Amino acid sequence: MTSGDHLFARLLKRSDTPSTERPEPATVQPAGLHLHLNHHGQLLHMTGSLRHLLAQQLAADQPLPLHDFVLPHSTLVLEGLPDDWQGQMLDLDFPGLGEQSLHLRGWVQPSSEGWLLQLIDVGDLLLERHQARSREECQAMAAQISEHLRACSLARLPVIVDEQLQTIAQRWHMPCIALALLDDEAQGWQIHRQFAAHDAPALWHNQQALGSLLDSLNGTAPQHLSGNQPGIHHPGINQPIANQPLFDQQPRLQALFGHADGFAVPYSDDRGVAAWLLCGFYSALEKAPELGDRDWLLLLSALAGPLLSRLREQQHHLQLERMELLQALLGTGWWEVFGADEIHLAPSLASVLQLDDTRLSLDAWLRQIHPADREELRSRMHALQQHDEPLSVCVRLHRGDAQLNPPHLDKQQQPIWYRLQGQAIGSGDSRRLVGFMLDISDMKNQQQHTAAAHARLDNLIASSPAVIYVQRYVEGALIPTFFSASLGPLLGWNLEDCAAAALIERVHPEDRDRYFERTRHLLREGSVRARYRLRDCRGDYHWLLDEAKLLRDDLGLPVEAVGLWLDVTEATLAAEQVRQSEERYRILVEDSPAMICRYRPDLTLSFGNRPLATYMEVEPAQLPGVNLGSWMSDEQRAAFLQRLSLLTPELPVSTAEISLQLPGREHAWWVWSDRGVFDEHGRLLEIQAVGRDNTEVRRSQQQLTQSAKMATLGEMATGLAHEINQPLNVMRMAIVNVLKRLDNGDVQVDYLSDKLKRIDAQVQRAARVVDHMRVFGRRSEIEQQPFNPLDAIEGTLSLLAEGLRGKGVELRVGENTFTARVRGHVDQLEQVLINLLVNARDALLSKREADRGFKPWISLTAERDAQLVRLWVEDNAGGIDARLLERIFEPFFTTKPIGVGTGLGLSVSYGIVENMGGRLSVANSLEGARFCIELPVVAEG
Ligand code: ADP
């Protein structure tokens, strides 16, 4: 049915005489309008059904000019009088009821009253023509729009769309128009472009997001949207509004159209509704009644169709571009296998692999793969080809021919890894084998580096004395869940052995409290450092240093503890030993009765213990900084330093009796042991010394020596008398002789002076003996002095020589010409020699008592080498019983009768020689005893 048919149907329904037949205009009364006119063209009366539709009715018998009835533009047709109109087709428009006009066509013919103008309704005919024209126009416009959209460049597309929207809007008087497209990315509708007349309010803007708002519209036909209240009829001569106003259900949709009339045209393609043309403040029914749904749909499809395809084309193009870029960036690309042995590669891939062609044989392609991976790939490819098994494999590229590889692939000669994935898609004839290749060198190399680093770390941990562990937090308790592999070598356990309860069992009973405290501290503070003993599988305990940290989740709740056990057994035991030995040392040093100190080579004390401080009458704290040398005379100090200078790392210890001069106090004697501490270059750093006060011993020794000396003197009294008697005798003889000569008067001067000289010599000799006796009887000097040992021999002989000769003992004294100096007291060495000579004389005399013919002798000799001076005293008295040899140096040991021997001679002598740093020894020679005094030579200068 055409719209014209509709119209007729409607008209017939409204006419008074309903009929389905269309009346013949010339013969049948009167379906149209019959106007009866007089000769002047004035309307007399009218008949026909259409007369009811006219706006203006004729008052009874009041002829009116026909002009008054027609619309102004129709008056032109009615120029002149009816007579002139004969034979013409007259198209006249009459104002109708409401705002409609009636389009009528007719002709005049003479009638009885004058003229009869018969008219029929040609509104539909006109409308149809009008519509046809509109449609043509519409089609032309559509063609033009589509042409524009197809032809323009992508860049100008938005402008062109705007222009087309403007054209449509202006042609059909739309205040606002917009094209809404389904936006794939935003998953909703969006105003693509819009146009608003300059005097229209802006309903929309470009790129306005509409969400799912338009989904509620029925997308098969244009939608008329009425802004009027429901229930109010919207008058119109066209179709009644087919749909209920949608705005009732969709207040937001109503808002979109500004709460006014709206019109929306859908465009559908294979994806469903893809576009809407939105017209605001617009009622298509009123403003463009000539356009039907089809016209609107056509118009929009001309706009949306090409636009969408251009946009999709653009999107596709962009996607392709992005893909290409991505493939190039990632070194990736697709591949597809054709037939049995041909492979087609993405151009990007072919260029990365430096292949000339994108199509190549499967074998040629496999040759690009490293031999180590080639056969695996071949087999998997086969599995894909034959059994559709999806392919996923990582392979290295073959770089045997370095020239084939781009230079950047050769950097550091690292392998180039590719991940290859592929699968079969489709089936039957359309089955294809496609996949991609992705450069994963970075990842793979990273992975290998990581794996290597991991392995190294694992190794390190496994071989280190450290165990890394993890304890999981379960309801306040920490349960071991992991131990590093080093647990085995260190303690000989595995994870099961160290479950929570078992672990406590292995903690040393004395350390369990520490362990519990460690766990509490860890949970409280988040980290802990503790030390406790743990039993290993052999039952030995290890000291472990435990350092742990608590890891928490986002909510701050404990998750697990990660920690480290370090075996510090050796260090701990060593530290304990050091502590103990330090303690012992401290006790030793502090509580020792000995004087202990440490001092630097310049003799400055760095430490001195209480006995030393007590001796020096100060507090121990006052000792550091005091110079040891300040307690000595210059000579003592020089001797002390001389002794220290002999210390070496090989022989670091030296012991000596030192004498000190303490200000305001009597002389002190210390037996002093020094131990030098050296650095790695052999330099003396400090000296540790232990000493004991020997003053008392020294003093009694001196007294002993003195009394022994006095005893010697007493014992020698006879000898001495002889020594003095001898010169007296010589002098007496000389005087007697001189007196005799005087009596005879036979005195010559020469004779006299000769005798007087002899007397003088004898006087001198006696004086010497007496002098020496006085010196010998004196107490020894306190300090030792350097002296020539030959002086002591001479002194001894001056006292004893004459006496020995008087007793018939031959004295053999060697020629001693050397010079040397030893340290000590010359009188004491003399006393030693006297003791030895007197002992020898006693032994000789007692032997001669038994044997009258015995010829006794004593030899006294001296010799020296670089270090020592040796004095020998030998006799021929038969020696000392071998069983007594060891005992003769003991004090009070004597074989002589009571009252004769004291048993002190040799023991005192021994002490004297020892004090001089020397040694007194005895051996039996062939004929008798042989004593030897060894004395160290004092360095000259
Ligand atoms: P005294 O002379 O008062 O006995 P000494 O200590 O001087 O004490 O001597 C100890 C002993 O050593 C002597 O009694 C003697 O037996 C022995 N003796 C010392 N010198 C000699 C010697 N030259 N020959 C043999 N015996 C000796």
Side-chain angles (χ1 to χ4, degrees):
M1 253 195 342
T2 66
S3 54
D5 296 334
H6 277 294
L7 187 69
F8 277 116
R10 177 162 53 82
L11 287 174
L12 289 175
K13 233 181 276 170
R14 286 194 181 176
S15 69
D16 291 332
T17 50
S19 165
T20 52
E21 293 298 311
R22 182 170 179 171
E24 284 299 315
T27 55
V28 182
Q29 265 286 353
L33 181 64
H34 287 191
L35 301 177
H36 303 269
L37 306 171
N38 59 19
H39 291 289
H40 302 291
Q42 288 177 314
L43 181 58
L44 299 175
H45 60 98
M46 36 188 175
T47 54
S49 54
L50 283 180
R51 72 192 145 97
H52 302 294
L53 295 176
L54 291 184
Q56 193 175 0
Q57 297 294 329
L58 193 64
D61 302 328
Q62 270 282 304
L64 279 175
L66 189 54
H67 284 120
D68 292 359
F69 286 83
V70 297
L71 287 166
H73 61 264
S74 297
T75 53
L76 282 177
V77 179
L78 300 175
E79 282 294 313
L81 296 172
D83 191 27
D84 304 326
W85 307 338
Q86 267 196 101
Q88 283 183 42
M89 188 78 82
L90 298 174
D91 278 348
L92 297 174
D93 291 349
F94 292 80
L97 285 171
E99 282 169 21
Q100 311 292 322
S101 53
L102 292 176
H103 306 288
L104 305 180
R105 177 175 291 174
W107 50 90
V108 285
Q109 60 185 63
S111 71
S112 53
E113 291 154 300
W115 297 92
L116 174 65
L117 175 54
Q118 298 184 45
L119 294 162
I120 55 165
D121 187 345
V122 293
D124 282 2
L125 266 176
L126 284 175
L127 183 64
E128 214 167 327
R129 198 182 303 155
H130 193 53
Q131 278 176 335
R133 250 203 326 270
S134 287
R135 185 165 300 140
E136 266 166 38
E137 192 187 353
C138 199
Q139 276 168 354
M141 188 181 271
Q144 215 166 30
I145 289 173
S146 134
E147 175 74 26
H148 279 306
L149 288 174
R150 277 186 221 283
C152 74
S153 71
L154 272 175
R156 277 188 45 79
L157 195 60
V159 179
I160 300 297
V161 173
D162 284 352
E163 281 174 11
Q164 306 316 310
L165 284 176
Q166 187 175 358
T167 310
I168 295 172
Q170 284 171 349
R171 169 63 187 81
W172 281 285
H173 313 291
M174 299 171 183
C176 293
I177 188 168
L179 182 66
L181 300 181
L182 202 52
D183 183 21
D184 285 339
E185 282 168 33
Q187 298 273 315
W189 290 96
Q190 196 189 49
I191 301 287
H192 180 65
R193 307 296 302 179
Q194 61 88 31
F195 169 80
H198 68 276
D199 55 349
L203 261 187
W204 306 300
H205 57 87
N206 289 344
Q207 268 67 55
Q208 180 184 346
L210 303 179
S212 58
L213 212 51
L214 297 176
D215 291 343
S216 57
L217 288 170
N218 177 5
T220 57
Q223 301 292 306
H224 301 275
L225 310 157
S226 169
N228 290 324
Q229 291 302 310
I232 294 179
H233 179 66
H234 181 69
I237 57 164
N238 288 344
Q239 302 108 309
I241 294 166
N243 296 313
Q244 276 296 314
L246 279 158
F247 291 168
D248 289 350
Q249 302 137 33
Q250 290 287 341
R252 286 176 58 224
L253 200 59
Q254 191 179 10
L256 178 66
F257 283 90
H259 303 279
D261 284 349
F263 181 58
V265 185
Y267 170 74
S268 309
D269 59 11
D270 52 341
R271 303 186 191 182
V273 183
W276 280 97
L277 186 71
L278 306 178
C279 309
F281 306 119
Y282 190 69
S283 166
L285 294 174
E286 287 175 20
K287 297 281 172 57
E290 69 276 20
L291 289 190
D293 285 3
R294 272 178 48 211
D295 300 321
W296 285 114
L297 292 175
L298 174 77
L299 205 56
L300 177 57
S301 71
L303 180 65
L307 175 63
L308 282 174
S309 84
R310 295 288 314 257
L311 289 178
R312 282 170 189 163
E313 173 200 345
Q314 185 185 17
Q315 215 169 3
H316 185 65
H317 185 72
L318 279 177
Q319 263 171 0
L320 263 185
E321 235 173 36
R322 280 187 211 130
M323 188 112 121
E324 291 274 313
L325 190 69
L326 203 66
Q327 287 192 354
L329 279 179
L330 292 177
T332 182
W334 52 263
W335 52 261
E336 184 160 356
V337 173
F338 292 98
D341 71 339
E342 196 188 28
I343 188 160
H344 193 179
L345 299 179
S348 60
L349 203 56
S351 87
V352 169
L353 297 179
Q354 299 247 307
L355 296 171
D356 298 333
D357 208 349
T358 55
R359 276 171 185 270
L360 63 166
S361 75
L362 213 49
D363 268 338
W365 180 60
L366 281 170
R367 278 198 294 278
Q368 301 291 317
I369 307 301
H370 195 280
D373 302 324
R374 198 179 290 156
E375 290 317 309
E376 181 185 357
L377 179 60
R378 192 194 299 280
S379 134
R380 285 179 187 268
M381 195 55 102
H382 190 73
L384 171 66
Q385 281 174 312
Q386 300 298 312
H387 313 294
D388 283 6
E389 274 178 31
L391 171 103
S392 174
V393 64
C394 295
V395 297
R396 278 157 289 192
L397 282 196
H398 185 38
R399 299 158 40 128
D401 187 354
Q403 283 178 337
L404 269 182
N405 292 322
H408 74 272
L409 296 182
D410 278 338
K411 59 178 178 195
Q412 293 165 14
Q413 280 303 309
Q414 284 182 336
I416 302 153
W417 281 91
Y418 268 90
R419 174 185 290 283
L420 259 155
Q421 281 191 326
Q423 59 185 36
I425 52 176
S427 61
D429 288 345
S430 64
R431 179 172 174 272
R432 295 163 65 204
L433 302 175
V434 293
F436 70 86
M437 263 178 99
L438 172 65
D439 185 347
I440 54 164
S441 303
D442 284 352
M443 196 177 83
K444 201 77 184 180
N445 291 330
Q446 203 70 36
Q447 206 176 1
Q448 283 185 336
H449 280 306
T450 312
H454 256 279
R456 280 198 293 273
L457 189 66
D458 282 349
N459 243 331
L460 205 67
I461 293 173
S463 60
S464 81
V467 175
I468 290 170
Y469 65 79
V470 177
Q471 295 182 314
R472 198 155 44 79
Y473 176 86
V474 182
E475 293 170 345
L478 290 173
I479 314 295
T481 54
F482 167 81
F483 287 98
S484 63
S486 46
L487 181 67
L490 190 70
L491 298 172
W493 301 329
N494 55 31
L495 179 60
E496 284 79 63
D497 299 329
C498 291
L503 187 61
I504 306 290
E505 276 301 301
R506 286 177 163 74
V507 175
H508 193 289
E510 288 174 15
D511 294 343
R512 279 180 197 157
D513 281 348
R514 281 195 205 185
Y515 183 79
F516 294 134
E517 178 52 32
R518 163 252 180 217
T519 305
R520 280 195 296 272
H521 190 276
L522 175 59
L523 292 175
R524 204 169 52 232
E525 306 291 336
S527 69
V528 75
R529 188 185 158 98
R531 198 186 273 261
Y532 46 83
R533 278 163 291 180
L534 216 55
R535 203 175 64 237
D536 67 13
C537 60
R538 289 188 306 278
D540 297 332
Y541 279 99
H542 293 246
W543 274 103
L544 296 183
L545 178 66
D546 180 356
E547 283 200 26
K549 234 185 155 64
L550 192 66
L551 306 182
R552 297 174 186 278
D553 64 9
D554 295 347
L555 300 173
L557 297 174
V559 178
E560 60 182 24
V562 179
L564 184 91
W565 275 342
L566 206 61
D567 189 343
V568 292
T569 309
E570 278 178 26
T572 306
L573 293 183
E576 178 65 11
Q577 274 169 358
V578 167
R579 198 189 60 73
Q580 281 176 3
S581 74
E582 265 178 3
E583 179 72 10
R584 276 201 298 271
Y585 178 70
R586 197 181 62 74
I587 290 170
L588 208 65
V589 169
E590 282 304 309
D591 302 352
S592 158
M595 297 181 288
I596 295 174
C597 68
R598 303 205 321 255
Y599 59 91
R600 287 192 278 276
D602 68 355
L603 306 187
T604 311
L605 282 173
S606 54
F607 166 81
N609 71 347
R610 181 160 287 284
L612 181 64
T614 309
Y615 196 96
M616 302 313 294
E617 297 171 343
V618 293
E619 280 300 310
Q622 291 173 280
L623 285 175
V626 171
N627 194 294
L628 214 54
S630 67
W631 301 337
M632 304 174 193
S633 69
D634 290 350
E635 266 184 44
Q636 287 167 339
R637 190 164 51 245
F640 194 88
L641 289 170
Q642 156 74 17
R643 201 170 49 81
L644 289 186
S645 70
L646 299 176
L647 297 182
T648 60
E650 291 74 35
L651 294 170
V653 183
S654 152
T655 301
E657 192 176 36
I658 60 170
S659 63
L660 302 171
Q661 242 167 8
L662 302 176
R665 294 175 56 174
E666 59 180 343
H667 228 80
W669 293 92
W670 289 353
V671 174
W672 196 251
S673 277
D674 291 299
R675 167 180 280 275
V677 178
F678 295 86
D679 68 9
E680 66 267 31
H681 307 296
R683 274 196 302 264
L684 184 61
L685 294 180
E686 74 161 21
I687 300 101
Q688 299 174 345
V690 184
R692 105 184 121 72
D693 182 20
N694 207 33
T695 311
E696 284 305 313
V697 176
R698 206 12 122 99
R699 203 166 287 149
S700 34
Q701 247 177 20
Q702 271 175 348
Q703 276 166 4
L704 198 64
T705 313
Q706 192 55 29
S707 27
K709 227 155 59 173
M710 298 320 282
T712 309
L713 268 182
E715 196 263 352
M716 283 193 326
T718 3
L720 283 172
H722 185 80
E723 288 292 325
I724 294 167
N725 253 346
Q726 195 64 20
L728 288 178
N729 279 337
V730 172
M731 283 190 285
R732 195 160 55 88
M733 290 296 296
I735 289 167
V736 169
N737 289 342
V738 168
L739 285 175
K740 238 187 242 173
R741 288 281 185 106
L742 281 175
D743 284 347
N744 296 343
D746 179 18
V747 180
Q748 282 137 1
V749 175
D750 285 355
Y751 177 79
L752 205 57
S753 78
D754 178 50
K755 288 295 174 198
L756 284 174
K757 273 181 194 161
R758 184 173 295 186
I759 290 167
D760 185 44
Q762 294 305 314
V763 168
Q764 277 183 27
R765 181 179 160 198
R768 235 185 1 254
V769 171
V770 171
D771 261 5
H772 196 77
M773 270 178 61
R774 224 176 30 228
V775 171
F776 183 73
R778 266 210 314 259
R779 275 174 158 267
S780 301
E781 287 290 320
I782 284 177
E783 277 186 40
Q784 294 186 328
Q785 306 285 344
F787 65 92
N788 190 343
L790 297 183
D791 295 345
I793 294 179
E794 197 192 315
T796 305
L797 291 178
S798 75
L799 287 178
L800 291 182
E802 284 304 319
L804 288 175
R805 276 194 212 103
K807 291 260 192 291
V809 176
E810 183 193 351
L811 201 53
R812 301 176 179 172
V813 180
E815 277 292 307
N816 297 316
T817 51
F818 64 86
T819 55
R821 293 170 85 72
V822 297
R823 185 177 290 279
H825 305 287
V826 68
D827 58 301
Q828 289 186 356
L829 183 57
E830 240 172 64
Q831 191 192 347
V832 173
L833 288 170
I834 289 170
N835 279 336
L836 296 181
L837 288 174
V838 166
N839 276 346
R841 181 200 67 192
D842 288 349
L844 288 168
L845 294 183
S846 69
K847 180 164 181 187
R848 202 181 49 189
E849 263 174 36
D851 176 4
R852 281 280 147 196
F854 173 61
K855 294 252 183 300
W857 55 260
I858 298 175
S859 105
L860 180 53
T861 52
E863 63 177 44
R864 73 156 285 186
D865 61 18
Q867 276 91 40
L868 294 173
V869 169
R870 287 193 189 83
L871 308 180
W872 306 94
V873 178
E874 193 177 347
D875 60 53
N876 63 341
I880 304 160
D881 187 338
R883 290 165 301 178
L884 303 179
L885 266 181
E886 284 183 1
R887 298 193 55 200
I888 57 169
F889 294 109
E890 286 175 15
F892 310 112
F893 175 82
T894 178
T895 56
K896 295 171 190 170
I898 297 169
V900 179
T902 60
L904 285 175
L906 284 180
S907 99
V908 168
S909 298
Y910 190 90
I912 289 171
V913 174
E914 202 181 34
N915 249 328
M916 292 174 72
R919 207 170 138 253
L920 175 62
S921 58
V922 64
N924 283 325
S925 69
L926 282 175
E927 296 180 67
R930 190 172 192 241
F931 285 85
C932 177
I933 303 166
E934 287 175 309
L935 295 170
V937 174
V938 178
E940 291 300 326

